[in-house]
Amino acid sequence: MTETTTETTTETTETTVVREAPEDALLVVVDVQNDFCHPAGTMAAAGRDLTAVHRAVDRIEVLVDAARGADVPVVFVRTEHGPGLDSAAWRHRLAPGIGPGFEPAGPNCRRGGWGAEFYRVAPRPGEWVAVKHRYSAFTGPGFVERLAGHGRRSLLFCGVTTDVCVESSLRSAVDHDYLATLVEDACAAYTEAEHAASVAVVERSFGRAVATDALVGRWRRRS
């Protein structure tokens, strides 16, 4: 007796998406918060250099204003940590193990605290604020579902830090079948080497990089 296998092929229709077009794009602003950016935040207290971060925030202010003017939706992503939010594995992610004698990482952006508040760039009433408790924005409660509801297939990423939460979120975007673009000068890490390495990884494997002025110029010409 010969078994017959029927193979079903599903055809998919591709919809045209233009990476930087206002009607196709959504701007994701990642973790521009006091603990990561303010001179009195935890990163500054740990000795991190904020020079590049502050330059990036200057660019983010321009970018957010331009997005609003071009009707590009903006989502402000915010990290929050604290009891009930952080697992043992998360707290010990930098330690040799979990348990007595293993030192947990110091907390940033405690829920309800000053460190978790936005730094210089803040949402307007009605704009989307997405809260997360890990590196990628896509891990936040309801983020994937609400993002899908916008119907935008191209995500433009800015914020801090390039090599951690921004890159983690951008990688997740690709895994969820979005076009992903890094607004290179509207992101920053605490060293130029870390920033440059992350940009190179993105351009090699995950998406494209663009400068703020080039992107804003295109939006204004279209407007």
Side-chain angles (χ1 to χ4, degrees):
M1 182 176 178
T2 303
E3 293 185 2
T4 303
T5 302
T6 303
E7 184 174 314
T8 303
T9 302
T10 303
E11 292 186 4
T12 58
T13 302
E14 290 189 358
T15 302
T16 299
V17 178
V18 179
R19 188 180 290 269
E20 297 169 6
E23 63 271 19
D24 291 329
L26 183 145
L27 179 64
V28 185
V29 183
V30 181
D31 291 3
V32 184
Q33 297 169 259
N34 285 333
D35 267 350
F36 300 134
C37 304
H38 196 284
T42 55
M43 292 296 100
R48 302 297 180 90
D49 184 357
L50 301 182
T51 304
V53 170
H54 293 162
R55 285 199 305 265
V57 175
D58 291 341
R59 300 279 78 200
I60 293 169
E61 289 178 323
V62 172
L63 188 58
V64 168
D65 285 345
R68 288 167 173 159
D71 293 324
V72 175
V74 183
V75 53
F76 294 83
V77 180
R78 179 169 67 197
T79 290
E80 291 182 356
H81 292 293
L85 303 175
D86 300 337
S87 67
W90 173 260
R91 295 194 307 273
H92 291 82
R93 65 193 181 278
L94 305 179
I98 299 172
F102 295 118
E103 187 71 21
N108 296 307
C109 300
R110 288 184 177 273
R111 172 175 277 182
W114 171 86
E117 294 176 4
F118 289 113
Y119 175 76
R120 287 176 50 188
V121 181
R124 291 177 177 174
E127 288 184 320
W128 179 15
V129 176
V131 176
K132 64 182 177 67
H133 312 302
R134 300 295 183 268
Y135 290 136
S136 171
F138 282 76
T139 64
F143 184 85
V144 172
E145 294 76 13
R146 184 164 179 178
L147 184 60
H150 277 274
R152 306 296 179 105
R153 300 306 307 168
S154 176
L155 304 184
L156 311 171
F157 290 87
C158 64
V160 296
T161 61
T162 319
D163 57 320
V164 184
C165 291
V166 177
E167 184 180 322
S168 295
S169 299
L170 187 149
R171 286 179 180 230
S172 294
V174 175
D175 288 340
H176 284 79
D177 293 325
Y178 289 90
L179 292 182
T181 302
L182 185 71
V183 188
E184 181 177 355
D185 58 344
C187 299
Y190 297 116
T191 72
E192 292 295 339
E194 289 168 338
H195 174 78
S198 185
V199 173
V201 167
V202 168
E203 291 190 297
R204 183 176 66 243
S205 301
F206 296 99
R208 304 188 70 175
V210 64
T212 298
D213 287 345
L215 181 58
V216 169
R218 293 184 189 111
W219 286 348
R220 288 175 177 166
R221 285 194 297 273
R222 290 193 57 149
S223 299

